[in-house]
Amino acid sequence: VITSGFNKVRDRLQGKVELTESNIEDALRDIRFSLLEADVHLSVVKRFIAHVQEKAVGEVVATRVAHKGKKLKVSPADHFINICYEELVNLMGPVDVSLRFGSRPVAAIMLVGLQGCGKTTTAGKLASYLRSKNKKPLLVAADIYRPAAIEQLQVIGSSLGIPVYTQQNALPPLICKQALEHARSIGCDVAIFDTAGRLAIDDALMHELENIVAMTQPENTLLVCDAMIGQDAVKTAETFSRRLPVSGFILTKLDGDARGGAALSIKEVTGKPIKFLGTGEALDRLEEFRPEGLASRILG
Amino acid sequence: TLGKREISPEMIEHLEETLITADLGAATVQELIDTIKWKVARKELENPESIQCLIKQELFSILHQQERPLQIDPSCQPFVILTVGVNGTGKTTTIAKLGALLQSQGLSVMLAAADTFRAAAIEQLEIWAQRIGCAFVKHRQGADPSAVAFDALKSARARHIDVLIIDTAGRLHTKMPLMEEIKKVYRILSREHTGAPHETLLVLDATTGQNAISQASLFKDAINITGIALTKLDGTAKGGVIVGISRSLNIPIRFIGVGEKLDDLREFHAKDFIDALFE
Ligand SMILES: Nc1nc2c(ncn2[C@@H]2O[C@H](COP(=O)(O)OP(=O)(O)OP(=O)(O)O)[C@@H](O)[C@H]2O)c(=O)[nH]1
Ligand SMILES: Nc1nc2c(ncn2[C@@H]2O[C@H](COP(=O)(O)OP(=O)(O)OP(=O)(O)O)[C@@H](O)[C@H]2O)c(=O)[nH]1
Ligand SMILES: [Mg+2]
Ligand SMILES: [Mg+2]
């Protein structure tokens, strides 16, 4: 499944002496199919195909002029696949895995996203990552709804030896605000807010996030997305980044066989960078984003 | 243009857009459109109404077959439901909802916390069991899930429980050791109790794209999946992957999840589901 897209294009362009408009069109149909099967959003696929077509056809014309019908050194199939691959890498870049720490004593990172995408686990991973970068993180339990959510974060914090801030009888905006003060008092310099999963269309819960932002002005708001998300990635990413100052994304569960097309869609549609990839349940399974691996996975 | 026994490219494109963005998948959408074109060409349609109507009928013929509600047989003492699926799809919450529903129908329910791996998974299910007021079995964190299942079965039998629902850890279908673990739970149950598990429920997240097909097929290969619960349909995702899954795997869709509360569980109705695809 992962390699079928590329192989199909290779077979189709096999033995062709040069790329022509017509065999490019056929190859693009295969690529379109492969990208849709990889969960890239339809609108993004259409733009990608149009862009690649323009580029590939443009090169065909330029090549004809330059080589006057002589054979190309690279096979047409490889050349075409390379154009697609480069275009995909370009679309997912430029790489920016930086986090803003600002000038306050305690910087804040707010994690948001749909239910079950991996926020709480990722909060732990981020804390571990930040500590490896000589930061002193504080985990903040801002999900007061899900049964045992606070406990889950506490177990994670304790397994890492990282403090967890919790507060009874308070709503998430106040919890996060007071967490920043608490962080300062115990010598931490970055606070990670683990918020409850929510639908982008849940106005009350989206408003809660807006209130957290109003109260704490987080330097970083990261939208956590499950790599297996389908076409809904665009609607969700758009809504979250319209209502909140989303500064980047974290794509989780890449240790499975989901192609991860959402990565392309959300980057394209919001312009915000993918910062990290979650590659397992263990708390050390967080990597800084690199487009190359994901590009070949999406293209298939 | 249908009067001319052919469909305009604009109609096709619009239809493709609706179905693809509903996560039906490029292959399934292509097959559906080819079927409609063929039927229109063969004049199989007496009164070709809108193309949308034709597609809805085609989808109904696929999904209607999966409208097979879960039938609990309390004489099994207990009727065992094993719940499985990848990480974060809503297994634990769905079990709570199902337990509450069955209890409201007068059945005695026991929930078993066989996710002994994830942080606070046992506590999460325990809170739900307390809220519902049903029986609950757990071991310590890190215990063998098969041991929990075995223990729960023994306890359910002793207490004359009608329905035992077993929660398991989220697992990616591509992870061999984890799939071996769930196969072992399945084996232990079937060895210890005739007919168990009577239902093996795969919980799928409606926001999932084409990977759901891989999930369903690999879980089905590993253990005998007898039902699907499709969660998070209260969001903007349409869950269209279920069409491809229906066609290739023919697994009944027992429930849909429409929220995070105990009563946010519905039976699957093909017609409502299909109408929602086009909204
Ligand atoms: N395989 C794998 N599992 C992951 C990854 N990240 C998180 N998980 C698992 O996904 C499931 C959900 O993770 P959580 O951290 O509880 O997700 P959440 O977004 O906090 O969920 P809510 O708070 O309910 O919205 C758990 O079983 C995690 O162990 C990952 O990168 N790979
Ligand atoms: N909106 C919505 N949220 C749901 C639904 N079902 C479950 N959830 C939420 O999804 C998140 C994950 O649910 P869990 O029940 O913990 O999922 P799980 O499959 O047991 O997760 P793991 O055990 O970590 O694999 C929680 O925040 C639930 O409240 C649903 O139908 N709609
Ligand atoms: Mg959480
Ligand atoms: Mg669970």
Side-chain angles (χ1 to χ4, degrees):
Chain A
V1 155
I2 292 271
T3 51
S4 62
F6 263 137
N7 287 342
K8 209 166 176 217
V9 169
R10 250 183 239 290
D11 291 344
R12 194 185 275 289
L13 296 179
Q14 189 81 335
K16 296 276 187 294
V17 159
E18 61 163 358
L19 286 181
T20 64
E21 282 86 340
S22 100
N23 59 34
I24 283 174
E25 201 176 312
D26 292 336
L28 283 174
R29 224 186 334 267
D30 295 335
I31 296 285
R32 175 185 186 271
F33 189 89
S34 186
L35 291 177
L36 288 175
E37 289 290 296
D39 296 319
V40 180
H41 195 269
L42 181 61
S43 59
V44 176
V45 173
K46 287 181 175 173
R47 281 202 290 282
F48 178 86
I49 297 293
H51 209 157
V52 166
Q53 179 162 32
E54 194 180 344
K55 196 165 184 201
V57 169
E59 289 201 15
V60 164
V61 174
T63 309
R64 268 193 207 122
V65 168
H67 292 247
K68 299 191 180 57
K70 288 206 206 80
K71 222 174 175 196
L72 291 172
K73 288 211 187 66
V74 175
S75 83
D78 288 338
H79 186 61
F80 179 78
I81 285 168
N82 214 32
I83 292 176
C84 287
Y85 178 79
E86 280 180 4
E87 182 64 13
L88 215 57
V89 170
N90 277 334
L91 283 176
M92 289 205 285
V95 174
D96 171 14
V97 300
S98 67
L99 292 170
R100 276 198 60 228
F101 293 105
S103 53
R104 300 190 298 181
V106 183
I109 302 171
M110 179 170 77
L111 296 183
V112 301
L114 298 176
Q115 290 90 346
C117 60
K119 296 173 293 300
T120 305
T121 310
T122 301
K125 293 177 181 181
L126 258 181
S128 177
Y129 167 85
L130 288 167
R131 183 171 50 187
S132 74
K133 302 276 180 192
N134 297 318
K135 290 286 181 187
K136 298 193 206 69
L138 170 71
L139 286 164
V140 181
D143 177 356
I144 58 172
Y145 309 108
R146 169 173 151 155
I150 296 172
E151 223 153 337
Q152 184 185 3
L153 194 65
Q154 284 174 321
V155 169
I156 287 172
S158 131
S159 72
L160 291 171
I162 287 176
V164 178
Y165 181 79
T166 69
Q167 191 177 332
Q168 303 267 26
N169 304 318
L171 292 178
L174 186 63
I175 294 174
C176 292
K177 180 165 192 318
Q178 303 197 330
L180 291 181
E181 295 161 18
H182 178 74
R184 188 173 184 174
S185 74
I186 62 170
C188 288
D189 55 11
V190 57
I192 303 167
F193 304 154
D194 176 26
T195 67
R198 68 204 65 216
L199 299 176
I201 51 170
D202 185 326
D203 195 52
L205 284 180
M206 289 303 285
H207 192 57
E208 174 186 277
L209 291 178
E210 289 167 339
N211 284 339
I212 296 178
V213 171
M215 288 282 249
T216 63
Q217 302 295 315
E219 285 82 355
N220 310 273
T221 297
L222 303 177
L223 177 58
V224 180
C225 263
D226 193 323
M228 57 185 182
I229 191 171
Q231 298 285 304
D232 193 52
V234 158
K235 219 179 241 120
T236 292
E238 261 175 357
T239 312
F240 271 97
S241 56
R242 177 168 38 85
R243 296 186 66 154
L244 304 166
V246 171
S247 53
F249 298 91
I250 300 181
L251 208 61
T252 62
K253 306 179 200 171
L254 276 160
D255 43 320
D257 63 349
R259 300 264 298 273
L264 182 59
S265 312
I266 59 191
K267 172 83 209 330
E268 251 273 289
V269 159
T270 66
K272 296 289 186 279
I274 300 166
K275 303 265 182 200
F276 298 100
L277 305 176
T279 58
E281 289 192 81
L283 298 173
D284 60 353
R285 310 262 12 128
L286 186 77
E287 306 174 1
E288 291 177 349
F289 174 64
R290 279 182 50 251
E292 293 81 11
L294 208 37
S296 36
R297 178 175 181 141
I298 291 174
L299 260 181
Chain B
T1 46
L2 276 177
K4 287 214 230 99
R5 298 300 167 193
E6 63 181 47
I7 308 164
S8 76
E10 293 77 34
M11 277 174 145
I12 301 277
E13 180 151 3
H14 181 68
L15 190 59
E16 269 185 352
E17 202 171 300
T18 304
L19 297 177
I20 288 190
T21 55
D23 284 317
L24 266 78
T28 301
V29 171
Q30 192 56 55
E31 287 167 39
L32 281 170
I33 291 184
D34 288 346
T35 304
I36 296 302
K37 277 182 171 170
W38 178 77
K39 285 190 171 176
V40 170
R42 280 190 39 168
K43 305 189 185 208
E44 262 193 31
L45 307 157
E46 280 303 311
N47 286 311
E49 309 106 16
S50 79
I51 195 75
Q52 191 179 100
C53 254
L54 301 178
I55 284 284
K56 281 190 174 186
Q57 284 164 18
E58 199 59 37
L59 287 170
F60 187 80
S61 67
I62 296 167
L63 292 178
H64 184 57
Q65 307 182 46
Q66 312 315 346
E67 269 173 343
R68 290 176 268 161
L70 180 61
Q71 312 272 23
I72 306 281
D73 177 3
S75 72
C76 296
Q77 289 289 306
F79 182 94
V80 180
I81 302 172
L82 177 63
T83 312
V84 302
V86 308
N87 308 70
T89 55
K91 297 174 292 301
T92 305
T93 311
T94 301
I95 286 167
K97 295 172 182 178
L98 183 52
L101 173 69
L102 297 176
Q103 189 165 260
S104 74
Q105 292 172 353
L107 297 166
S108 60
V109 171
M110 173 182 280
L111 304 186
D115 176 358
T116 56
F117 170 73
R118 205 209 69 212
I122 296 170
E123 287 77 358
Q124 182 186 6
L125 190 64
E126 186 157 26
I127 291 172
W128 280 120
Q130 285 163 358
R131 287 184 188 177
I132 297 166
C134 65
F136 178 70
V137 164
K138 66 174 176 181
H139 279 197
R140 56 169 184 75
Q141 186 80 6
D144 179 353
S146 297
V148 182
F150 180 87
D151 208 32
L153 197 46
K154 285 259 170 316
S155 174
R157 272 213 205 97
R159 298 165 64 170
H160 306 290
I161 294 285
D162 297 322
V163 188
L164 167 63
I165 314 177
I166 302 172
D167 189 14
T168 63
R171 70 202 61 235
L172 293 181
H173 47 297
T174 47
K175 298 199 166 165
M176 279 294 292
L178 300 183
M179 295 309 279
E180 284 308 311
E181 179 185 81
I182 200 70
K183 281 171 159 176
K184 182 176 167 207
V185 174
Y186 188 93
R187 268 199 312 276
I188 298 281
L189 289 171
S190 58
R191 194 189 63 197
E192 291 302 317
H193 189 56
T194 322
H198 305 88
E199 172 80 353
T200 303
L201 189 65
L202 173 65
V203 180
L204 293 175
D205 185 333
T207 44
T208 306
Q210 299 310 302
N211 193 249
I213 307 207
S214 170
Q215 291 174 29
S217 109
L218 288 184
F219 268 98
K220 182 148 200 232
D221 288 343
I223 55 180
N224 178 29
I225 302 292
T226 56
I228 285 172
L230 186 64
T231 63
K232 307 181 197 172
L233 273 172
D234 47 319
T236 42
K238 305 283 184 166
V241 279
I242 208 77
V243 176
I245 291 174
S246 292
R247 281 175 110 194
S248 56
L249 300 172
N250 196 25
I251 306 171
I253 303 162
R254 306 295 198 193
F255 299 104
I256 61 173
V258 293
E260 303 190 68
K261 302 198 294 304
L262 275 180
D263 58 2
D264 289 328
L265 191 71
R266 306 277 148 77
E267 254 183 22
F268 171 71
H269 292 299
K271 176 161 189 323
D272 297 339
F273 182 83
I274 292 164
D275 288 340
L277 291 178
F278 288 87
E279 270 155 25

